[in-house]
Amino acid sequence: MLSFEKSHIGKLELRNHIVMAPMCMNSADEEGHVKNFHIIHYGNAAIGGVGLIIVEATAVVPEGRILGQDLGLWDDSQIAGHQKIVEVAHEFGAKVGIQLAHAGRKCAIPGVEIFAPSAIAFSDKYATPTALDHSGIQRIKEAFKAAAIRSVAAGYDTIEIHAAHGYLLHEFLSPLSNKRTDEYGGSRPNRVRLLNEVAAEIRSVIPEDMPLIVRISDLDYYQGGLDIAEMVELVNLLKDRFDLTHVSSGTLIEEARIFPFPGYQVPYSEAIKTRCNVKTMAVGLITNIEQIEEILNNKRA
């Protein structure tokens, strides 16, 4: 079965094709440190035979958290906890990556100033963000770079940049949330600029053979937002930076409606894979080996 054959992301060899995608567990302490919960949670996946574990969205700055109990890697004191996750995963044969993230306008921590490409709130339940100026954008890039350095120090095998699900880098990509008129807004090359620059900063500080993954939302499910055709164009502007494109969808706009079913996002992976000529990862209600075999045998991811 293809599911259990070895696979590769760049030069990183995995024992199979099965990945534990990042999930927000909201179980860190208030300073973003790893707790025993995380060691058990990820260790269990490694014991169960997963080929690659991608640790949940981990904030590069405190205001980049989604909720107050999210993991962080904005401070050196957080490295030791991540090292424990990596050590346990490696002990039981899994490779392990980390998803570096900034929540942007979807930070829901009370009293925290939040930032976005434009001063547009996610909904009336969220604060209106401050539009990032150029010095703020530079701080974002430096924060991702510093978190990548800490990820390497923790021993992670790969890094995934979170540019999906309505968080900061997705907000820059979508014309629904990015109304800027400078070099970071408007045209596709401009809207993809920050993600390209973040990737370049990370590439500059990680080992040459360490693969870099990007997670994207392939469409916004909302008129005027990203659709598959535009994401193909954006990925073509990004693809030289990444070894793998992790294809998800949605959650930029609160009122957008998604009607999920088993494997509902697999066609998006297939479209990006074939039309951009890149390696992709499919995700979303893939729950059994028969599904995985169909996806792999038909080269949909």
Side-chain angles (χ1 to χ4, degrees):
M1 298 178 77
L2 284 176
S3 306
F4 300 107
E5 292 182 3
K6 290 180 179 180
S7 63
H8 293 82
I9 304 173
K11 295 182 179 178
L12 179 66
E13 183 176 274
L14 310 178
R15 60 184 169 183
N16 55 46
H17 285 79
I18 300 170
V19 179
M20 178 181 179
M23 298 175 281
C24 294
M25 303 309 298
N26 311 125
S27 297
D29 66 19
E30 302 249 339
E31 286 76 45
H33 291 96
V34 169
K35 306 298 287 182
N36 286 340
F37 169 87
H38 299 95
I39 311 300
I40 296 167
H41 174 60
Y42 293 113
N44 183 59
I47 292 170
V50 169
L52 173 65
I53 296 164
I54 305 179
V55 170
E56 62 207 73
T58 300
V60 299
V61 289
E63 69 273 16
R65 291 173 289 175
I66 306 163
L67 296 171
Q69 284 71 46
D70 286 351
L71 286 178
L73 255 182
W74 63 78
D75 189 85
D76 287 351
S77 67
Q78 296 162 329
I79 295 172
H82 287 274
Q83 285 176 325
K84 292 178 182 177
I85 293 174
V86 173
E87 288 168 3
V88 170
H90 284 173
E91 181 179 349
F92 294 101
K95 301 299 184 183
V96 58
I98 184 167
Q99 186 185 69
L100 297 181
H102 189 303
R105 68 180 188 173
K106 290 180 76 175
C107 172
I109 303 173
V112 173
E113 184 179 11
I114 62 176
F115 298 91
S118 303
I120 305 169
F122 175 61
S123 75
D124 57 9
K125 301 171 189 172
Y126 284 72
T128 299
T130 299
L132 284 161
D133 58 18
H134 283 74
S135 64
I137 287 174
Q138 185 60 35
R139 287 194 301 273
I140 296 295
K141 292 190 288 185
E142 290 172 355
F144 272 96
K145 180 178 181 178
I149 292 171
R150 296 185 184 103
S151 300
V152 173
Y156 282 108
D157 299 298
T158 182
I159 291 172
E160 178 173 281
I161 300 175
H162 200 349
H165 299 167
Y167 303 126
L168 183 69
L169 295 176
H170 182 186
E171 291 163 20
F172 271 87
L173 293 177
S174 178
L176 292 174
S177 47
N178 183 348
K179 303 297 184 182
R180 300 175 73 95
T181 57
D182 63 2
E183 68 270 32
Y184 290 96
S187 69
R188 288 167 183 159
N190 283 358
R191 283 183 277 125
V192 86
R193 188 181 306 277
L194 180 57
L195 178 51
N196 256 326
E197 290 177 347
V198 166
E201 293 286 355
I202 290 176
R203 282 285 190 199
S204 74
V205 295
I206 63 176
E208 187 176 349
D209 61 351
M210 186 178 194
L212 189 59
I213 304 169
V214 62
R215 191 169 196 181
I216 61 167
S217 280
D218 204 38
L219 68 164
D220 290 334
Y221 299 99
Y222 203 82
Q223 185 174 3
L226 296 173
D227 58 19
I228 294 174
E230 182 164 26
M231 277 309 304
V232 166
E233 297 299 323
L234 293 175
V235 170
N236 278 328
L237 294 170
L238 288 165
K239 64 184 183 181
D240 291 341
R241 300 282 188 191
F242 297 97
D243 298 278
L244 183 71
T245 303
H246 188 176
V247 185
S248 187
S249 67
T251 71
L252 177 81
I253 301 295
E254 186 179 53
E255 55 266 36
R257 291 291 169 259
I258 305 172
F259 301 97
F261 53 86
Y264 72 105
Q265 294 177 144
V266 174
Y268 312 149
S269 165
E270 185 174 20
I272 295 296
K273 178 181 181 292
T274 56
R275 295 168 65 181
C276 299
N277 192 30
V278 295
K279 178 174 276 192
T280 61
M281 184 191 307
V283 67
L285 293 183
I286 300 169
T287 59
N288 60 65
I289 294 298
E290 289 74 21
Q291 279 181 287
I292 297 172
E293 287 297 306
E294 184 277 322
I295 294 164
L296 294 175
N297 278 290
N298 289 301
K299 304 186 186 306
R300 306 178 76 192

